[in-house]
Amino acid sequence: MSFDRSIKIAPSILSADFANFGAECEAIEAQGADWVHVDVMDGHFVPNITFGPATCAAIRPHIKTVMDVHLMIAPVDPYIEAFAKAGADIITAHVEAGPHIHRTVQAIRGAGAKAGIALNPGTPASAVAELLDMIDLVCVMTVNPGFGGQKFIDMTAKVRALRDMIGDRPIHIEIDGGVDPTTAPLVAAAGADVLVAGSAVFRGGSVTDPAPYGANIRAIRAAAEA
């Protein structure tokens, strides 16, 4: 993974057909997805349960780009190695999920993955200030995590603050929640470069009719780049 700040669209497979994950991953990549975003939820840190390392390992052979694994789980440290072994390129943990985020980042790096930190809407940008020299990505939640299809919460001031703090460090700013062609330009202008989109990508399409995925991805990208 070479670093660049061009706009990257990372469809969330939370909105895909769960019975066809492998084919869905291949379909979104063929339709122009840059990364594949995997939302892992535990029913404890967030009020929903999705999937674990076995699912990640099963879909990994179907993903040619970047497998971007977002852990909305607590505790997080005991599971890092399993997700790294499952093939995660990036593992993102929440700063709110445990008392020792520095140790968590060390563990992600030690397991051979790139390290991300996610910030819930109520958590300030300053929460990552002491970690900027050891992370690869900051994920700004623009919904409260736990469910797809939620309404966008405006976090552009936080994104701008992070962009200023990051400076020329090779750190991605990712946006997760309510991203569509209307909200994408707001966060892109503030400095975000990775846009996670679930329902806005998968809406209207299917494994047997994936063309709408491509149209949706292109619409979000064009809006963000404008």
Side-chain angles (χ1 to χ4, degrees), residues 139-156:
C139 175
V140 177
M141 297 302 299
T142 42
V143 296
N144 285 294
F147 297 99
Q150 295 188 75
K151 192 175 183 316
F152 177 83
I153 301 169
D154 187 352
M155 289 283 143
T156 46

Side-chain angles (χ1 to χ4, degrees), residues 67-88:
M67 187 157 91
D68 174 33
V69 177
H70 178 189
L71 301 183
M72 288 167 270
I73 65 176
V76 64
D77 293 10
Y79 301 97
I80 288 168
E81 193 172 336
F83 282 102
K85 282 185 174 158

Side-chain angles (χ1 to χ4, degrees), residues 125-141:
S126 57
V128 302
E130 303 301 325
L131 300 155
L132 290 172
D133 290 322
M134 51 190 301
I135 60 172
D136 302 284
L137 177 145
V138 180
C139 175
V140 177
M141 297 302 299

Side-chain angles (χ1 to χ4, degrees), residues 1-218:
M1 285 172 58
S2 59
F3 182 85
D4 70 83
R5 292 201 192 282
S6 65
I7 294 294
K8 288 162 282 294
I9 309 298
S12 164
I13 61 167
L14 193 61
S15 297
D17 175 1
F18 281 25
N20 283 303
F21 266 155
E24 288 275 52
C25 291
E26 291 175 7
I28 55 175
E29 287 192 335
Q31 291 295 327
D34 301 288
W35 295 6
V36 175
H37 189 80
V38 185
D39 285 307
V40 176
M41 306 183 189
D42 65 355
H44 169 74
F45 180 66
V46 291
N48 194 7
I49 297 173
T50 56
F51 16 79
T55 305
C56 291
I59 62 174
R60 178 71 254 196
H62 301 273
I63 297 172
K64 296 187 184 69
T65 61
V66 173
M67 187 157 91
D68 174 33
V69 177
H70 178 189
L71 301 183
M72 288 167 270
I73 65 176
V76 64
D77 293 10
Y79 301 97
I80 288 168
E81 193 172 336
F83 282 102
K85 282 185 174 158
D89 294 299
I90 303 166
I91 297 176
T92 297
H94 273 259
V95 72
E96 308 87 2
H100 304 294
I101 189 65
H102 188 286
R103 178 182 292 156
T104 301
V105 170
Q106 284 179 315
I108 294 170
R109 280 280 177 83
K114 290 192 178 291
I117 295 179
L119 303 176
N120 281 337
T123 303
S126 57
V128 302
E130 303 301 325
L131 300 155
L132 290 172
D133 290 322
M134 51 190 301
I135 60 172
D136 302 284
L137 177 145
V138 180
C139 175
V140 177
M141 297 302 299
T142 42
V143 296
N144 285 294
F147 297 99
Q150 295 188 75
K151 192 175 183 316
F152 177 83
I153 301 169
D154 187 352
M155 289 283 143
T156 46
K158 187 189 293 188
V159 175
R160 282 195 297 270
L162 285 165
R163 191 68 203 82
D164 289 344
M165 288 163 60
I166 286 167
D168 59 2
R169 295 177 179 90
I171 299 173
H172 296 291
I173 299 178
E174 178 175 75
I175 304 296
D176 188 354
V179 170
D180 61 26
T182 306
T183 56
L186 306 174
V187 290
D193 64 296
V194 183
L195 306 180
V196 176
S199 41
V201 165
F202 286 93
R203 188 178 293 121
S206 67
V207 167
T208 51
D209 177 27
Y213 298 169
N216 294 338
I217 288 169
R218 288 190 295 277

